[in-house]
Amino acid sequence: MENVSNKYKLNPAMRKQAVRPKTGFWLVVLGAALWGADPLFRIILLREQITPTQIVLLEHIIIALFVGPMLWKHRSELKGLELRHIGALLFLSWGGSAIATILFTLGLTHGNLNAVLLLQKLQPIFAILMARVLLKEKLPKKFGWLMIMALAGTYLLTFGFTFPFGHVNDFVKVGSLLSLGAAALWGGSTVMGRLMVGKMEYETVTSLRFILALPLLIAITINQGDPWHVPTGAGTITAVSINLLGQALLPGLFSLMVYYKGLTTTKASVATLAELSFPMVGVLINWIAFQEVVKFHQICGFVLIWAVLFIISRRSEA
């Protein structure tokens, strides 16, 4: 007969397994938070007359050089893939990595930036719908109210206590439509990523996401036929190179490695709320890079979102 104390004590392996869901949740939060630095790199590159498609292509080429050896190491995991797995990988790479990133980069150059940012917060809606349909996930208790609270927090971060819809046209311009398309693809990518990390190691999923996107990006770039504007001057070339490398590795490769590691133990419908850590980092980036003082409504939004993340984390641990 087992010792009675086993009812109350967990062995080390079980104890590690018990805390894993909570750890995974916060890894998703961290990975998504790193995305907050993404617009800063992109805006600087756009100012150098590099087109959005060219930026995304260069970013993927740099990342492919880093993840190529990783994919070769895990190549045995490619055996036995079913049709649904191939479809999920293509959605991740072509939709979430290539097309969505192009749409978002284009959105930064068109229309009302506040509208573009707010529409990105629709990602949870797309992800929850797909998670219910494809993964049959059950939502945490009172998840709907938590989602409303999180979206309210992102609204405060973006617009404060004002009502932004003075003119409906601000929200139906090209930039808004591009942002909406990116939100749908990224929301769906959360679900597809959760499906694939149950089949492969998170390193393999990350590698395939970028490498499989390269053929499509090359084809799009060639089809557009935009000229390449090579920067002149040592200072400009250095600045562009540093920004490209930083863009590819920090909010690109490293953030997704952390994100998919956390996604292995986090439900897609929960992960999509964890991703709302992005706007909080965006506020800090604006403060540090552009000297924009954090306002009261932004603090309120920050506190509200993190309160939601804390509640979901505790429920995930339970």
mmCIF file of all heavy atoms in Angstrom, residues 58-103:
data_model
loop_
_atom_site.group_PDB
_atom_site.id
_atom_site.type_symbol
_atom_site.label_atom_id
_atom_site.label_comp_id
_atom_site.label_asym_id
_atom_site.label_seq_id
_atom_site.Cartn_x
_atom_site.Cartn_y
_atom_site.Cartn_z
ATOM 1 N N LEU A 58 13.034 40.076 -46.367
ATOM 2 C CA LEU A 58 14.363 40.144 -45.760
ATOM 3 C C LEU A 58 14.351 39.585 -44.339
ATOM 4 O O LEU A 58 15.283 38.885 -43.920
ATOM 5 C CB LEU A 58 14.860 41.590 -45.756
ATOM 6 C CG LEU A 58 15.178 42.199 -47.128
ATOM 7 C CD1 LEU A 58 15.488 43.686 -46.991
ATOM 8 C CD2 LEU A 58 16.355 41.471 -47.774
ATOM 9 N N GLU A 59 13.294 39.900 -43.615
ATOM 10 C CA GLU A 59 13.148 39.383 -42.251
ATOM 11 C C GLU A 59 13.127 37.853 -42.247
ATOM 12 O O GLU A 59 13.801 37.205 -41.437
ATOM 13 C CB GLU A 59 11.854 39.936 -41.642
ATOM 14 C CG GLU A 59 11.462 39.305 -40.329
ATOM 15 C CD GLU A 59 10.053 39.688 -39.925
ATOM 16 O OE1 GLU A 59 9.437 40.526 -40.612
ATOM 17 O OE2 GLU A 59 9.561 39.140 -38.928
ATOM 18 N N HIS A 60 12.374 37.263 -43.163
ATOM 19 C CA HIS A 60 12.266 35.802 -43.214
ATOM 20 C C HIS A 60 13.569 35.149 -43.680
ATOM 21 O O HIS A 60 13.902 34.045 -43.228
ATOM 22 C CB HIS A 60 11.108 35.395 -44.119
ATOM 23 C CG HIS A 60 9.768 35.464 -43.455
ATOM 24 N ND1 HIS A 60 9.197 36.651 -43.076
ATOM 25 C CD2 HIS A 60 8.902 34.474 -43.077
ATOM 26 C CE1 HIS A 60 8.015 36.398 -42.513
ATOM 27 N NE2 HIS A 60 7.832 35.100 -42.494
ATOM 28 N N ILE A 61 14.290 35.807 -44.575
ATOM 29 C CA ILE A 61 15.575 35.255 -45.019
ATOM 30 C C ILE A 61 16.559 35.193 -43.856
ATOM 31 O O ILE A 61 17.256 34.183 -43.651
ATOM 32 C CB ILE A 61 16.156 36.099 -46.173
ATOM 33 C CG1 ILE A 61 15.294 35.926 -47.433
ATOM 34 C CG2 ILE A 61 17.608 35.700 -46.452
ATOM 35 C CD1 ILE A 61 15.731 36.817 -48.590
ATOM 36 N N ILE A 62 16.629 36.261 -43.075
ATOM 37 C CA ILE A 62 17.531 36.288 -41.921
ATOM 38 C C ILE A 62 17.161 35.193 -40.923
ATOM 39 O O ILE A 62 18.020 34.445 -40.431
ATOM 40 C CB ILE A 62 17.489 37.671 -41.242
ATOM 41 C CG1 ILE A 62 18.069 38.739 -42.176
ATOM 42 C CG2 ILE A 62 18.259 37.648 -39.926
ATOM 43 C CD1 ILE A 62 17.908 40.156 -41.674
ATOM 44 N N ILE A 63 15.871 35.081 -40.631
ATOM 45 C CA ILE A 63 15.436 34.079 -39.655
ATOM 46 C C ILE A 63 15.680 32.668 -40.177
ATOM 47 O O ILE A 63 16.083 31.767 -39.427
ATOM 48 C CB ILE A 63 13.950 34.275 -39.323
ATOM 49 C CG1 ILE A 63 13.741 35.620 -38.611
ATOM 50 C CG2 ILE A 63 13.440 33.140 -38.442
ATOM 51 C CD1 ILE A 63 12.299 35.945 -38.313
ATOM 52 N N ALA A 64 15.465 32.459 -41.496
ATOM 53 C CA ALA A 64 15.672 31.133 -42.081
ATOM 54 C C ALA A 64 17.115 30.671 -41.906
ATOM 55 O O ALA A 64 17.372 29.470 -41.717
ATOM 56 C CB ALA A 64 15.286 31.145 -43.557
ATOM 57 N N LEU A 65 18.059 31.596 -41.969
ATOM 58 C CA LEU A 65 19.463 31.244 -41.771
ATOM 59 C C LEU A 65 19.714 30.717 -40.362
ATOM 60 O O LEU A 65 20.595 29.871 -40.153
ATOM 61 C CB LEU A 65 20.353 32.462 -42.047
ATOM 62 C CG LEU A 65 20.349 32.983 -43.486
ATOM 63 C CD1 LEU A 65 21.196 34.252 -43.594
ATOM 64 C CD2 LEU A 65 20.868 31.915 -44.448
ATOM 65 N N PHE A 66 18.957 31.207 -39.401
ATOM 66 C CA PHE A 66 19.125 30.783 -38.016
ATOM 67 C C PHE A 66 18.389 29.476 -37.711
ATOM 68 O O PHE A 66 18.880 28.642 -36.948
ATOM 69 C CB PHE A 66 18.646 31.879 -37.062
ATOM 70 C CG PHE A 66 19.599 33.019 -36.906
ATOM 71 C CD1 PHE A 66 19.558 34.106 -37.765
ATOM 72 C CD2 PHE A 66 20.555 33.021 -35.904
ATOM 73 C CE1 PHE A 66 20.440 35.171 -37.634
ATOM 74 C CE2 PHE A 66 21.446 34.075 -35.756
ATOM 75 C CZ PHE A 66 21.395 35.152 -36.625
ATOM 76 N N VAL A 67 17.212 29.304 -38.302
ATOM 77 C CA VAL A 67 16.394 28.136 -37.948
ATOM 78 C C VAL A 67 16.629 26.945 -38.863
ATOM 79 O O VAL A 67 16.161 25.840 -38.564
ATOM 80 C CB VAL A 67 14.890 28.497 -37.966
ATOM 81 C CG1 VAL A 67 14.591 29.608 -36.984
ATOM 82 C CG2 VAL A 67 14.416 28.876 -39.374
ATOM 83 N N GLY A 68 17.350 27.143 -39.974
ATOM 84 C CA GLY A 68 17.629 26.040 -40.883
ATOM 85 C C GLY A 68 18.287 24.856 -40.189
ATOM 86 O O GLY A 68 17.807 23.711 -40.298
ATOM 87 N N PRO A 69 19.398 25.071 -39.459
ATOM 88 C CA PRO A 69 20.021 23.958 -38.739
ATOM 89 C C PRO A 69 19.090 23.320 -37.709
ATOM 90 O O PRO A 69 19.134 22.113 -37.479
ATOM 91 C CB PRO A 69 21.227 24.622 -38.058
ATOM 92 C CG PRO A 69 21.527 25.825 -38.894
ATOM 93 C CD PRO A 69 20.192 26.307 -39.371
ATOM 94 N N MET A 70 18.233 24.116 -37.114
ATOM 95 C CA MET A 70 17.293 23.594 -36.126
ATOM 96 C C MET A 70 16.293 22.642 -36.775
ATOM 97 O O MET A 70 15.971 21.572 -36.228
ATOM 98 C CB MET A 70 16.558 24.778 -35.467
ATOM 99 C CG MET A 70 15.696 24.424 -34.274
ATOM 100 S SD MET A 70 14.776 25.869 -33.706
ATOM 101 C CE MET A 70 16.084 27.076 -33.505
ATOM 102 N N LEU A 71 15.800 23.012 -37.960
ATOM 103 C CA LEU A 71 14.860 22.155 -38.666
ATOM 104 C C LEU A 71 15.538 20.857 -39.098
ATOM 105 O O LEU A 71 14.927 19.783 -39.036
ATOM 106 C CB LEU A 71 14.292 22.888 -39.882
ATOM 107 C CG LEU A 71 13.290 22.108 -40.731
ATOM 108 C CD1 LEU A 71 12.075 21.701 -39.898
ATOM 109 C CD2 LEU A 71 12.854 22.927 -41.938
ATOM 110 N N TRP A 72 16.788 20.943 -39.535
ATOM 111 C CA TRP A 72 17.513 19.734 -39.933
ATOM 112 C C TRP A 72 17.679 18.775 -38.751
ATOM 113 O O TRP A 72 17.562 17.563 -38.898
ATOM 114 C CB TRP A 72 18.884 20.117 -40.496
ATOM 115 C CG TRP A 72 19.722 18.938 -40.892
ATOM 116 C CD1 TRP A 72 20.782 18.412 -40.214
ATOM 117 C CD2 TRP A 72 19.558 18.128 -42.060
ATOM 118 N NE1 TRP A 72 21.299 17.329 -40.868
ATOM 119 C CE2 TRP A 72 20.569 17.130 -42.021
ATOM 120 C CE3 TRP A 72 18.669 18.154 -43.140
ATOM 121 C CZ2 TRP A 72 20.706 16.164 -43.008
ATOM 122 C CZ3 TRP A 72 18.810 17.191 -44.120
ATOM 123 C CH2 TRP A 72 19.815 16.209 -44.053
ATOM 124 N N LYS A 73 17.919 19.318 -37.591
ATOM 125 C CA LYS A 73 18.063 18.498 -36.389
ATOM 126 C C LYS A 73 16.779 17.755 -36.058
ATOM 127 O O LYS A 73 16.803 16.606 -35.600
ATOM 128 C CB LYS A 73 18.479 19.387 -35.208
ATOM 129 C CG LYS A 73 18.621 18.636 -33.896
ATOM 130 C CD LYS A 73 18.997 19.598 -32.771
ATOM 131 C CE LYS A 73 19.084 18.868 -31.435
ATOM 132 N NZ LYS A 73 19.423 19.807 -30.319
ATOM 133 N N HIS A 74 15.634 18.393 -36.317
ATOM 134 C CA HIS A 74 14.325 17.802 -35.982
ATOM 135 C C HIS A 74 13.609 17.276 -37.227
ATOM 136 O O HIS A 74 12.389 17.118 -37.202
ATOM 137 C CB HIS A 74 13.449 18.846 -35.287
ATOM 138 C CG HIS A 74 13.972 19.304 -33.964
ATOM 139 N ND1 HIS A 74 13.705 18.646 -32.785
ATOM 140 C CD2 HIS A 74 14.755 20.366 -33.629
ATOM 141 C CE1 HIS A 74 14.290 19.282 -31.776
ATOM 142 N NE2 HIS A 74 14.936 20.326 -32.264
ATOM 143 N N ARG A 75 14.342 16.985 -38.288
ATOM 144 C CA ARG A 75 13.714 16.580 -39.549
ATOM 145 C C ARG A 75 12.904 15.297 -39.429
ATOM 146 O O ARG A 75 11.972 15.069 -40.205
ATOM 147 C CB ARG A 75 14.784 16.414 -40.633
ATOM 148 C CG ARG A 75 15.780 15.305 -40.370
ATOM 149 C CD ARG A 75 16.903 15.338 -41.411
ATOM 150 N NE ARG A 75 17.862 14.250 -41.260
ATOM 151 C CZ ARG A 75 18.863 14.246 -40.386
ATOM 152 N NH1 ARG A 75 19.038 15.304 -39.591
ATOM 153 N NH2 ARG A 75 19.693 13.215 -40.310
ATOM 154 N N SER A 76 13.230 14.445 -38.466
ATOM 155 C CA SER A 76 12.486 13.189 -38.301
ATOM 156 C C SER A 76 11.025 13.437 -37.951
ATOM 157 O O SER A 76 10.164 12.574 -38.177
ATOM 158 C CB SER A 76 13.138 12.329 -37.218
ATOM 159 O OG SER A 76 13.156 13.010 -35.979
ATOM 160 N N GLU A 77 10.705 14.619 -37.411
ATOM 161 C CA GLU A 77 9.332 14.929 -37.032
ATOM 162 C C GLU A 77 8.443 15.199 -38.242
ATOM 163 O O GLU A 77 7.217 15.268 -38.109
ATOM 164 C CB GLU A 77 9.299 16.137 -36.089
ATOM 165 C CG GLU A 77 10.016 15.915 -34.770
ATOM 166 C CD GLU A 77 9.905 17.121 -33.857
ATOM 167 O OE1 GLU A 77 8.904 17.857 -33.966
ATOM 168 O OE2 GLU A 77 10.821 17.353 -33.053
ATOM 169 N N LEU A 78 9.068 15.354 -39.413
ATOM 170 C CA LEU A 78 8.286 15.611 -40.615
ATOM 171 C C LEU A 78 7.634 14.349 -41.160
ATOM 172 O O LEU A 78 6.756 14.433 -42.024
ATOM 173 C CB LEU A 78 9.185 16.229 -41.702
ATOM 174 C CG LEU A 78 9.859 17.560 -41.339
ATOM 175 C CD1 LEU A 78 10.751 18.021 -42.484
ATOM 176 C CD2 LEU A 78 8.825 18.625 -41.013
ATOM 177 N N LYS A 79 8.053 13.213 -40.656
ATOM 178 C CA LYS A 79 7.485 11.948 -41.125
ATOM 179 C C LYS A 79 6.097 11.742 -40.523
ATOM 180 O O LYS A 79 5.855 12.041 -39.359
ATOM 181 C CB LYS A 79 8.396 10.780 -40.740
ATOM 182 C CG LYS A 79 9.788 10.858 -41.355
ATOM 183 C CD LYS A 79 10.646 9.687 -40.893
ATOM 184 C CE LYS A 79 12.051 9.777 -41.487
ATOM 185 N NZ LYS A 79 12.924 8.656 -41.019
ATOM 186 N N GLY A 80 5.215 11.210 -41.308
ATOM 187 C CA GLY A 80 3.890 10.854 -40.800
ATOM 188 C C GLY A 80 2.940 12.019 -40.615
ATOM 189 O O GLY A 80 1.944 11.890 -39.892
ATOM 190 N N LEU A 81 3.225 13.152 -41.245
ATOM 191 C CA LEU A 81 2.308 14.288 -41.128
ATOM 192 C C LEU A 81 1.020 14.006 -41.893
ATOM 193 O O LEU A 81 1.049 13.520 -43.028
ATOM 194 C CB LEU A 81 2.958 15.556 -41.678
ATOM 195 C CG LEU A 81 4.069 16.189 -40.847
ATOM 196 C CD1 LEU A 81 4.610 17.425 -41.557
ATOM 197 C CD2 LEU A 81 3.580 16.551 -39.458
ATOM 198 N N GLU A 82 -0.090 14.307 -41.277
ATOM 199 C CA GLU A 82 -1.380 14.127 -41.933
ATOM 200 C C GLU A 82 -1.744 15.382 -42.716
ATOM 201 O O GLU A 82 -1.100 16.431 -42.590
ATOM 202 C CB GLU A 82 -2.452 13.821 -40.887
ATOM 203 C CG GLU A 82 -2.173 12.554 -40.089
ATOM 204 C CD GLU A 82 -3.197 12.341 -38.997
ATOM 205 O OE1 GLU A 82 -4.167 13.136 -38.920
ATOM 206 O OE2 GLU A 82 -3.042 11.389 -38.205
ATOM 207 N N LEU A 83 -2.783 15.268 -43.518
ATOM 208 C CA LEU A 83 -3.206 16.386 -44.354
ATOM 209 C C LEU A 83 -3.574 17.598 -43.510
ATOM 210 O O LEU A 83 -3.273 18.742 -43.885
ATOM 211 C CB LEU A 83 -4.396 15.968 -45.229
ATOM 212 C CG LEU A 83 -4.868 16.987 -46.271
ATOM 213 C CD1 LEU A 83 -3.738 17.325 -47.245
ATOM 214 C CD2 LEU A 83 -6.084 16.470 -47.015
ATOM 215 N N ARG A 84 -4.198 17.389 -42.368
ATOM 216 C CA ARG A 84 -4.600 18.518 -41.517
ATOM 217 C C ARG A 84 -3.383 19.228 -40.936
ATOM 218 O O ARG A 84 -3.397 20.446 -40.729
ATOM 219 C CB ARG A 84 -5.538 18.053 -40.406
ATOM 220 C CG ARG A 84 -4.916 17.114 -39.392
ATOM 221 C CD ARG A 84 -5.984 16.485 -38.511
ATOM 222 N NE ARG A 84 -5.403 15.631 -37.479
ATOM 223 C CZ ARG A 84 -5.290 15.978 -36.210
ATOM 224 N NH1 ARG A 84 -5.734 17.165 -35.814
ATOM 225 N NH2 ARG A 84 -4.763 15.162 -35.326
ATOM 226 N N HIS A 85 -2.314 18.482 -40.680
ATOM 227 C CA HIS A 85 -1.098 19.103 -40.175
ATOM 228 C C HIS A 85 -0.432 19.950 -41.254
ATOM 229 O O HIS A 85 0.071 21.042 -40.974
ATOM 230 C CB HIS A 85 -0.132 18.027 -39.672
ATOM 231 C CG HIS A 85 -0.652 17.245 -38.508
ATOM 232 N ND1 HIS A 85 -0.623 15.882 -38.455
ATOM 233 C CD2 HIS A 85 -1.248 17.653 -37.357
ATOM 234 C CE1 HIS A 85 -1.163 15.471 -37.325
ATOM 235 N NE2 HIS A 85 -1.552 16.526 -36.648
ATOM 236 N N ILE A 86 -0.419 19.429 -42.485
ATOM 237 C CA ILE A 86 0.143 20.192 -43.596
ATOM 238 C C ILE A 86 -0.658 21.472 -43.812
ATOM 239 O O ILE A 86 -0.098 22.557 -44.034
ATOM 240 C CB ILE A 86 0.170 19.343 -44.877
ATOM 241 C CG1 ILE A 86 1.100 18.134 -44.695
ATOM 242 C CG2 ILE A 86 0.609 20.179 -46.075
ATOM 243 C CD1 ILE A 86 1.092 17.176 -45.854
ATOM 244 N N GLY A 87 -1.978 21.365 -43.741
ATOM 245 C CA GLY A 87 -2.828 22.548 -43.876
ATOM 246 C C GLY A 87 -2.569 23.564 -42.784
ATOM 247 O O GLY A 87 -2.527 24.778 -43.043
ATOM 248 N N ALA A 88 -2.377 23.083 -41.545
ATOM 249 C CA ALA A 88 -2.099 23.984 -40.429
ATOM 250 C C ALA A 88 -0.761 24.688 -40.619
ATOM 251 O O ALA A 88 -0.628 25.894 -40.346
ATOM 252 C CB ALA A 88 -2.105 23.208 -39.113
ATOM 253 N N LEU A 89 0.250 23.964 -41.096
ATOM 254 C CA LEU A 89 1.568 24.556 -41.321
ATOM 255 C C LEU A 89 1.516 25.616 -42.423
ATOM 256 O O LEU A 89 2.151 26.669 -42.318
ATOM 257 C CB LEU A 89 2.582 23.470 -41.675
ATOM 258 C CG LEU A 89 3.034 22.573 -40.523
ATOM 259 C CD1 LEU A 89 3.876 21.415 -41.044
ATOM 260 C CD2 LEU A 89 3.820 23.377 -39.492
ATOM 261 N N LEU A 90 0.759 25.335 -43.485
ATOM 262 C CA LEU A 90 0.628 26.312 -44.559
ATOM 263 C C LEU A 90 -0.124 27.550 -44.085
ATOM 264 O O LEU A 90 0.196 28.679 -44.482
ATOM 265 C CB LEU A 90 -0.076 25.683 -45.760
ATOM 266 C CG LEU A 90 0.728 24.631 -46.535
ATOM 267 C CD1 LEU A 90 -0.100 24.053 -47.675
ATOM 268 C CD2 LEU A 90 2.028 25.225 -47.066
ATOM 269 N N PHE A 91 -1.133 27.348 -43.241
ATOM 270 C CA PHE A 91 -1.853 28.498 -42.686
ATOM 271 C C PHE A 91 -0.905 29.331 -41.822
ATOM 272 O O PHE A 91 -0.905 30.567 -41.885
ATOM 273 C CB PHE A 91 -3.041 28.027 -41.852
ATOM 274 C CG PHE A 91 -3.957 29.137 -41.415
ATOM 275 C CD1 PHE A 91 -5.140 29.381 -42.097
ATOM 276 C CD2 PHE A 91 -3.644 29.954 -40.333
ATOM 277 C CE1 PHE A 91 -5.987 30.408 -41.708
ATOM 278 C CE2 PHE A 91 -4.484 30.987 -39.942
ATOM 279 C CZ PHE A 91 -5.660 31.210 -40.630
ATOM 280 N N LEU A 92 -0.093 28.648 -40.997
ATOM 281 C CA LEU A 92 0.850 29.348 -40.129
ATOM 282 C C LEU A 92 1.862 30.148 -40.933
ATOM 283 O O LEU A 92 2.132 31.315 -40.627
ATOM 284 C CB LEU A 92 1.590 28.338 -39.258
ATOM 285 C CG LEU A 92 0.992 27.969 -37.902
ATOM 286 C CD1 LEU A 92 1.813 26.861 -37.261
ATOM 287 C CD2 LEU A 92 0.935 29.174 -36.996
ATOM 288 N N SER A 93 2.453 29.509 -41.962
ATOM 289 C CA SER A 93 3.545 30.134 -42.697
ATOM 290 C C SER A 93 3.046 31.136 -43.734
ATOM 291 O O SER A 93 3.499 32.284 -43.772
ATOM 292 C CB SER A 93 4.404 29.059 -43.361
ATOM 293 O OG SER A 93 3.628 28.263 -44.246
ATOM 294 N N TRP A 94 2.121 30.703 -44.572
ATOM 295 C CA TRP A 94 1.630 31.591 -45.631
ATOM 296 C C TRP A 94 0.682 32.652 -45.085
ATOM 297 O O TRP A 94 0.775 33.819 -45.477
ATOM 298 C CB TRP A 94 0.927 30.779 -46.717
ATOM 299 C CG TRP A 94 1.850 29.908 -47.516
ATOM 300 C CD1 TRP A 94 3.180 29.692 -47.283
ATOM 301 C CD2 TRP A 94 1.518 29.165 -48.688
ATOM 302 N NE1 TRP A 94 3.700 28.834 -48.216
ATOM 303 C CE2 TRP A 94 2.708 28.503 -49.106
ATOM 304 C CE3 TRP A 94 0.362 28.982 -49.420
ATOM 305 C CZ2 TRP A 94 2.735 27.678 -50.225
ATOM 306 C CZ3 TRP A 94 0.395 28.164 -50.539
ATOM 307 C CH2 TRP A 94 1.576 27.510 -50.939
ATOM 308 N N GLY A 95 -0.213 32.246 -44.210
ATOM 309 C CA GLY A 95 -1.193 33.191 -43.679
ATOM 310 C C GLY A 95 -0.649 34.020 -42.540
ATOM 311 O O GLY A 95 -0.580 35.255 -42.617
ATOM 312 N N GLY A 96 -0.227 33.342 -41.446
ATOM 313 C CA GLY A 96 0.181 34.059 -40.244
ATOM 314 C C GLY A 96 1.541 34.716 -40.335
ATOM 315 O O GLY A 96 1.750 35.781 -39.744
ATOM 316 N N SER A 97 2.479 34.109 -41.080
ATOM 317 C CA SER A 97 3.827 34.660 -41.127
ATOM 318 C C SER A 97 4.045 35.576 -42.322
ATOM 319 O O SER A 97 4.651 36.630 -42.182
ATOM 320 C CB SER A 97 4.859 33.524 -41.161
ATOM 321 O OG SER A 97 6.153 34.016 -40.933
ATOM 322 N N ALA A 98 3.568 35.195 -43.495
ATOM 323 C CA ALA A 98 3.823 35.984 -44.704
ATOM 324 C C ALA A 98 2.754 37.048 -44.931
ATOM 325 O O ALA A 98 3.008 38.252 -44.831
ATOM 326 C CB ALA A 98 3.916 35.056 -45.920
ATOM 327 N N ILE A 99 1.533 36.609 -45.229
ATOM 328 C CA ILE A 99 0.486 37.551 -45.648
ATOM 329 C C ILE A 99 0.085 38.490 -44.511
ATOM 330 O O ILE A 99 -0.038 39.705 -44.705
ATOM 331 C CB ILE A 99 -0.744 36.778 -46.168
ATOM 332 C CG1 ILE A 99 -0.359 35.949 -47.399
ATOM 333 C CG2 ILE A 99 -1.879 37.743 -46.511
ATOM 334 C CD1 ILE A 99 -1.470 35.077 -47.932
ATOM 335 N N ALA A 100 -0.116 37.947 -43.298
ATOM 336 C CA ALA A 100 -0.547 38.792 -42.174
ATOM 337 C C ALA A 100 0.496 39.859 -41.861
ATOM 338 O O ALA A 100 0.147 41.015 -41.577
ATOM 339 C CB ALA A 100 -0.809 37.932 -40.937
ATOM 340 N N THR A 101 1.778 39.491 -41.908
ATOM 341 C CA THR A 101 2.818 40.473 -41.606
ATOM 342 C C THR A 101 2.887 41.554 -42.677
ATOM 343 O O THR A 101 3.105 42.735 -42.371
ATOM 344 C CB THR A 101 4.188 39.768 -41.489
ATOM 345 O OG1 THR A 101 4.076 38.635 -40.624
ATOM 346 C CG2 THR A 101 5.218 40.718 -40.904
ATOM 347 N N ILE A 102 2.680 41.169 -43.926
ATOM 348 C CA ILE A 102 2.633 42.165 -45.005
ATOM 349 C C ILE A 102 1.441 43.105 -44.800
ATOM 350 O O ILE A 102 1.561 44.331 -44.933
ATOM 351 C CB ILE A 102 2.547 41.475 -46.374
ATOM 352 C CG1 ILE A 102 3.854 40.738 -46.694
ATOM 353 C CG2 ILE A 102 2.246 42.501 -47.474
ATOM 354 C CD1 ILE A 102 3.795 39.938 -47.975
ATOM 355 N N LEU A 103 0.273 42.535 -44.486
ATOM 356 C CA LEU A 103 -0.919 43.361 -44.277
ATOM 357 C C LEU A 103 -0.718 44.351 -43.132
ATOM 358 O O LEU A 103 -1.091 45.530 -43.233
ATOM 359 C CB LEU A 103 -2.122 42.460 -43.992
ATOM 360 C CG LEU A 103 -2.612 41.574 -45.142
ATOM 361 C CD1 LEU A 103 -3.777 40.708 -44.683
ATOM 362 C CD2 LEU A 103 -3.019 42.414 -46.340
#
